[in-house]
Amino acid sequence: MARVAVVTGGTRGIGAAISRSLQEEGYRVAAVYARDDAAAEAFHKESGVAVYKWDVGDFQQCQDGIARIEADIGPVEILVNNAGITRDATLHRMASEQWQDVLDTNLGSCFNMCRSVIEAMRAGKFGRIVNIGSINGQAGQYGQVNYAAAKSGIHGFTKALAQEGAKAGITVNAVAPGYVDTDMVRAVPENVLEKIIAGIPVGRLGTADDIARGVVFLTADNAGFVTGSTLSINGGQ
């Protein structure tokens, strides 16, 4: 029977590309989203991927949501933690809510989701976890102390959990995208975006499919010797 894969933030942008790519590989995919019902319904109709709505920053909602997926589709063997938000501001102007919202959604969700599936993965002696970090978690970015801290935390979380899961057949890796052609990046002022692209050695923004290909590689059954790693997909930045 095909393995079950869960992708958080899985109905738009990079997450949608990951969900589609995993489905094309033969996995049974559940895409989790938090807010945009219309986009999720459109994605479901277009792709056939099952969609589930809950706040991945809330531990109990993650527990309950995974239980629903297990009842509907089967035990979760692949988890992609992709959900993320931005609440940009320089630190001296940042409200505590802007800090906490980003930490809860981007980093707290990794704990919430992994904790909700890790025991079953250990019992089944198989698991593939991929956490989506960011180039800005590696290099930092002006006006993003919250986002950079959360994404940097993801990279440390990944390395530690990889050590815990290794003997149970569970791999844990991260993907660190560079600047990708998504709604979030396209919202950047044009003059700023031009400077960003000029700093990318390959001379273009990445695509969501560029990132999805890396995730597909890391979730494969035969990728069992790759764990605790961060795959940077950033055009050479």
Side-chain angles (χ1 to χ4, degrees):
M1 185 176 290
R3 299 193 185 281
V4 175
V6 173
V7 183
T8 69
T11 62
R12 298 176 59 197
I14 291 171
I18 293 169
S19 295
R20 287 191 195 95
S21 295
L22 291 174
Q23 181 174 250
E24 289 168 3
E25 289 295 309
Y27 300 117
R28 290 174 291 160
V29 181
V32 179
Y33 75 103
R35 294 176 183 84
D36 195 333
D37 293 324
E41 182 61 23
F43 174 74
H44 170 65
K45 288 182 178 178
E46 175 265 323
S47 67
V49 171
V51 297
Y52 292 80
K53 183 179 182 180
W54 75 77
D55 177 7
V56 293
D58 183 289
F59 180 74
Q60 191 58 52
Q61 288 188 43
C62 290
Q63 293 268 296
D64 296 342
I66 289 297
R68 291 202 308 273
I69 290 172
E70 289 175 340
D72 293 346
I73 306 176
V76 177
E77 294 175 291
I78 295 163
L79 171 63
V80 182
N81 287 308
N82 169 73
I85 60 172
T86 56
R87 298 288 185 268
D88 294 352
T90 53
L91 183 64
H92 66 282
R93 298 178 184 275
M94 184 176 290
S96 62
E97 292 81 8
Q98 290 174 290
W99 169 266
Q100 199 61 53
D101 287 350
V102 170
L103 267 290
D104 287 346
T105 299
N106 296 20
L107 179 58
S109 65
C110 288
F111 169 80
N112 295 340
M113 292 296 294
C114 288
R115 185 64 184 85
S116 299
V117 302
I118 197 72
E119 291 184 63
M121 286 182 176
R122 292 178 67 87
K125 298 295 182 183
F126 180 89
R128 296 285 183 266
I129 297 172
V130 180
N131 302 314
I132 305 301
S134 170
I135 190 173
N136 291 346
Q138 298 170 309
Q141 181 58 268
Y142 184 92
Q144 286 195 328
V145 293
N146 49 3
Y147 186 84
K151 292 298 188 178
S152 179
I154 284 173
H155 297 306
F157 177 96
T158 296
K159 290 180 180 298
L161 186 57
Q163 294 181 39
E164 295 181 12
K167 289 186 178 179
I170 302 166
T171 66
V172 189
N173 293 287
V175 171
Y179 288 92
V180 176
D181 190 1
T182 61
D183 292 343
M184 185 185 298
V185 171
R186 285 295 176 185
V188 172
E190 186 173 349
N191 63 321
V192 177
L193 188 58
E194 288 174 357
K195 291 179 181 178
I196 289 172
I197 294 173
I200 302 173
V202 301
R204 67 170 176 86
L205 295 172
T207 68
D209 286 336
D210 289 329
I211 310 307
R213 279 188 284 273
V215 173
V216 167
F217 162 67
L218 292 171
T219 55
D221 277 21
N222 59 6
F225 201 60
V226 184
T227 194
S229 295
T230 296
L231 175 59
S232 295
I233 306 177
N234 59 28
Q237 277 189 289

